[in-house]
């Protein structure tokens, strides 16, 4: 009997509890990224992992529990990158570039994770989504803009408005770039920062609408 046949006849060593949990998370992550939460079933997760359905329930209590763990890990990964980019005060322009590149880096290196975050969350789940990540980023950007506005003699009270606009601009461009990839990451970041920075540098102290004058 050949050694290959002998190796095939030996039973595979059973996974430990933590190993099985990690395997299920990896399987669920792939399915959630490509099919979404609603279209993914516990049966499919179990089949892909070569286990029975009760094993999935034992570790996560169901599909919702598995999804929550997957999303939480993605949020921690993305927020870790963005927080690091915003840590060191090197000037508003540099921080804007670093934060933009942090998001685009995540999209480029982890497209499955990004697809999970931008998909709809399960009904009744208000946290653990791309929207909640953006809310955290907005808070960081708001403080930076407020300080920058004060230095420029602009109204710091408008910082929250501009923070949401800037983060929203990058957040909407990210999924578009992921689907097309017609431009290099650095090109996309440069254009985003160009629009944001040059727009901020030319702000009016008291902006007014031309088409609808204040009453």
């Amino acid at each position: 009997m050949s050694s290959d046949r002998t190796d095939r006849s030996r039973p595979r060593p059973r996974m430990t509890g933590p190993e099985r949990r990690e395997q299920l998370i990896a399987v669920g992550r792939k399915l959630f990224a490509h099919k979404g939460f609603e279209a993914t079933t516990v049966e499919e997760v179990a089949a892909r992992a070569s286990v029975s359905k009760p094993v999935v329930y034992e570790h996560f209590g169901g599909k919702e529990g598995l999804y929550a763990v997957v999303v939480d890990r993605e949020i921690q990964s993305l927020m870790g990158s963005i927080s690091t980019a915003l840590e060191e005060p090197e000037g508003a322009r540099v921080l804007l570039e670093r934060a933009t590149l942090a998001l685009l880096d995540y999209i480029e290196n982890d497209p499955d994770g990004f697809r999970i975050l931008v998909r709809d969350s399960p009904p009744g789940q208000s946290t653990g989504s791309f929207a909640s990540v953006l809310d955290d980023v907005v808070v960081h950007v708001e403080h930076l803009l407020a300080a920058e506005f004060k230095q420029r003699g602009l109204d710091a009270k408008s910082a929250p408005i501009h923070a949401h606009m800037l983060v929203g601009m990058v957040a909407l461009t990210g999924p578009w770039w992921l689907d097309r990839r017609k431009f290099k990451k650095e090109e996309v970041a440069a254009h985003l920062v160009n629009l944001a920075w040059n727009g901020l540098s030319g702000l009016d102290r008291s902006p007014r609408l031309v088409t609808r004058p204040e009453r």
Side-chain angles (χ1 to χ4, degrees), residues 18-156:
E19 288 173 340
R20 180 66 72 189
R21 179 181 174 84
E22 291 302 315
Q23 181 207 24
L24 292 171
I25 291 173
V27 170
R29 184 178 185 273
K30 181 67 68 175
L31 289 171
F32 290 138
H34 292 275
K35 301 184 66 174
F37 174 81
E38 293 296 338
T40 299
T41 64
V42 172
E43 289 85 353
E44 189 169 9
V45 173
R48 293 283 185 93
S50 300
V51 298
S52 62
K53 286 172 53 179
V55 174
V56 180
Y57 286 107
E58 176 185 349
H59 282 277
F60 303 101
K63 183 173 69 170
E64 291 80 4
L66 175 58
Y67 180 84
V69 172
V70 170
V71 169
D72 183 65
R73 287 193 176 189
E74 296 306 325
I75 287 177
Q76 295 304 318
S77 175
L78 177 55
M79 280 308 302
S81 300
I82 294 178
S83 295
T84 299
L86 297 175
E87 272 179 2
E88 301 176 10
E90 299 182 18
R93 169 70 186 248
V94 173
L95 288 175
L96 180 59
E97 287 187 6
R98 291 177 61 182
T100 301
L101 280 170
L103 176 59
L104 295 180
D105 281 341
Y106 175 77
I107 295 173
E108 181 179 57
N109 298 327
D110 204 347
D112 280 353
F114 185 71
R115 287 190 176 95
I116 291 171
L117 290 181
V118 298
R119 287 184 182 274
D120 293 335
S121 299
Q125 182 171 320
S126 58
T127 59
S129 65
F130 190 49
S132 66
V133 174
L134 296 182
D135 286 342
D136 289 338
V137 175
V138 165
V139 173
H140 283 286
V141 175
E142 181 181 328
H143 291 302
L144 293 170
L145 288 181
E148 185 74 16
F149 282 10
K150 288 179 181 179
Q151 291 182 0
R152 293 171 177 265
L154 300 170
D155 183 10

Side-chain angles (χ1 to χ4, degrees), residues 1-12:
M1 182 180 294
S2 67
S3 60
D4 290 342
R5 185 174 301 176
T6 302
D7 290 340
R8 287 196 297 268
S9 65
R10 292 173 182 170
R12 293 182 180 179

